[in-house]
Amino acid sequence: MNMKVNIAGVEWKNPVTVASGTFGSGAEFSEYVDLNKLGAVTTKGVANIPWAGNPTPRVAETYGGMMNAVGLQNPGIDLFCERDIPFLKAYDTKIIVNVCGKSAEDYCEVVERLADEDVDMLEINISCPNVKEGGIAFGQNPQAAEEITKAVKRYAKQPVIMKLSPNVTSIGEMAKAVEAGGADAVSLINTLTGMKIDINRKAFVLANKTGGVSGPAIHPIAVRMVYEAANAVKVPIIGMGGIASAEDAIEMILAGASAVSVGTANFHNPAVTMEVVDGIAEYMERQGFEQMKDMVGLVK
Ligand SMILES: Cc1cc2nc3c(=O)[nH]c(=O)nc-3n(C[C@H](O)[C@H](O)[C@H](O)COP(=O)(O)O)c2cc1C
């Protein structure tokens, strides 16, 4: 039994990574998780310059998950390259750098800066619902999504994963647009825009008013969208949204994901990623799967 997967020419030892923004740069979780056991580590979004993020409060609990409006707080690409890449290089895992920006120029600057760095893949976040400009503006319009993909591809030396928003009418159309722009892979879903009101304070719970909903509550929506995206494009899909167990991850793979990311679940069970890796291995043994690709998209 072999758990290796090939995502746009990059071989991961298994199909499990973490969802950007829920695992820091890996260092924060390295006490709980043997990073060598993960197929890849996906880092928190990084921009060309440091961003302070949104005002607080910016996280809240919801039924079966959480809501956040962190607003992509990050240290900027210079500190990231100096501090976070060397940390991750000490481990035997692939490195996926998640990139955010407010304009096409912002994204391209980060991608160009990363071209000569020793990282394996880039994930371009065009789907954050919590930043006022950029981000989501590219993720809700197929033409804009195709254009930003083309722009980034001109500078990228590593394979490019375009990260899609679920806050659209047709996820298949968005997947096709980034594929047409030259995306090497597609990841989904980012968070679903939500709102929570404190009835005693008679005020919004989050300072940003709205936030992105994540966690187990969104899992069935994510499975449906992964299925639709996988059936719309030929490039590999990295599936995420509410994965909290091996069973959830397997569901995503059977729906068409070649790899999976575990996000919000890391917050209440920091060792969950290792349980997901082991659980997929047990399932493959039990069900007689020799290799991962025999499972991907099996349910039609
Ligand atoms: C606190 C928090 C921060 C996040 N930050 C990022 C980010 O920087 N870049 C990004 O592309 N997605 C970010 N996301 C979205 C996740 O990567 C993921 O797409 C989403 O949460 C759905 O997966 P989950 O339900 O397993 O958490 C963030 C999510 C949370 C909860």
Side-chain angles (χ1 to χ4, degrees), residues 195-214:
M195 180 180 273
K196 187 168 174 162
I197 289 171
D198 181 330
I199 60 164
N200 295 311
R201 283 174 48 242
K202 296 179 270 310
F204 298 107
V205 170
L206 299 180
N208 190 53
K209 296 187 184 173
T210 59
V213 183
S214 63

Side-chain angles (χ1 to χ4, degrees), residues 19-21 44-45 68 72 98 125 163 189-190 214-215 240-242 263-264:
S20 177
K44 165 93 189 140
N68 92 85
L72 300 174
N98 183 284
N125 178 10
K163 183 161 177 182
I189 59 176
N190 208 314
S214 63
M240 71 192 90
T264 299

Side-chain angles (χ1 to χ4, degrees), residues 66-129:
M66 65 178 284
M67 225 165 86
N68 92 85
V70 171
L72 300 174
Q73 178 179 347
N74 77 90
I77 188 67
D78 289 337
L79 183 57
F80 176 83
C81 290
E82 205 175 292
R83 184 189 62 190
D84 297 340
I85 298 176
F87 172 83
L88 287 171
K89 284 315 293 178
Y91 293 91
D92 178 21
T93 187
K94 299 298 174 195
I95 303 175
I96 304 175
V97 181
N98 183 284
V99 177
C100 55
K102 291 180 173 144
S103 66
E105 291 73 33
D106 284 4
Y107 284 100
C108 291
E109 193 181 329
V110 179
V111 168
E112 190 175 19
R113 177 81 167 73
L114 287 167
D116 296 321
E117 293 288 337
D118 201 1
V119 300
D120 300 288
M121 307 185 87
L122 308 177
E123 182 179 56
I124 312 298
N125 178 10
I126 54 165
S127 43
C128 183

Side-chain angles (χ1 to χ4, degrees), residues 133-158:
E133 351 153 52
I136 196 69
F138 297 106
Q140 286 179 326
N141 173 314
Q143 282 78 37
E146 183 177 340
E147 286 308 315
I148 187 78
T149 309
K150 277 187 188 154
V152 159
K153 280 292 288 179
R154 277 197 280 275
Y155 294 92
K157 289 222 182 112
Q158 297 88 351

